[in-house]
Amino acid sequence: MKDSATEIDETICQCYQVKESTIRSCIESGNLTTIEEVTEACEAGGGCHSCHILIDLFIDEHQKKSTPMETLVREHAGKVKKKGILGRFFKKFKSDAPAAK
Ligand code: FES
């Protein structure tokens, strides 16, 4: 059974063209807990590091943790060079967000 998250299987790591489903299945099958382990398993995260914030989010979800979005953004936002699909996950990176009034 697919949920809505896996129906939209976008390329998360633009550098290595790794899709969300690949990253999530690596995390699940290897019970991976660090970005480095994910990079070793499927190459995601091995380039510009822009996708580290999402890899961390997927690891968190797998471990049933709920690190606040603000913490993930604080830890990883400085590494984001390619915004790509980050807007789907984080309001901070939405390019089409209306300006605050
Ligand atoms: S987008 Fe994943 S390392 Fe560059």
Side-chain angles (χ1 to χ4, degrees), residues 12-33:
I12 298 297
C13 182
Q14 302 294 325
C15 292
Y16 288 93
Q17 295 296 300
V18 187
K19 292 191 174 278
E20 180 175 349
S21 60
T22 304
I23 296 172
R24 286 191 188 273
S25 72
C26 280
I27 292 169
E28 270 185 49
S29 63
N31 201 20
L32 307 181
T33 58

Side-chain angles (χ1 to χ4, degrees), residues 7-83:
E7 282 173 13
I8 306 167
D9 191 17
E10 293 184 83
T11 301
I12 298 297
C13 182
Q14 302 294 325
C15 292
Y16 288 93
Q17 295 296 300
V18 187
K19 292 191 174 278
E20 180 175 349
S21 60
T22 304
I23 296 172
R24 286 191 188 273
S25 72
C26 280
I27 292 169
E28 270 185 49
S29 63
N31 201 20
L32 307 181
T33 58
T34 66
I35 293 168
E36 292 75 22
E37 289 173 335
V38 173
T39 303
E40 254 180 57
C42 65
E43 294 189 313
C48 72
H49 296 186
S50 290
C51 60
H52 280 195
I53 190 167
L54 292 176
I55 296 173
D56 228 8
L57 176 70
F58 300 158
I59 291 171
D60 255 33
E61 287 178 357
H62 176 63
Q63 296 181 326
K64 311 268 189 270
K65 283 194 211 164
S66 53
T67 303
M69 290 290 171
E70 299 75 34
T71 304
L72 288 172
V73 168
R74 188 173 350 103
E75 288 176 2
H76 298 288
K79 296 187 271 185
V80 176
K81 297 175 190 78
K82 299 177 182 178
K83 288 185 186 172

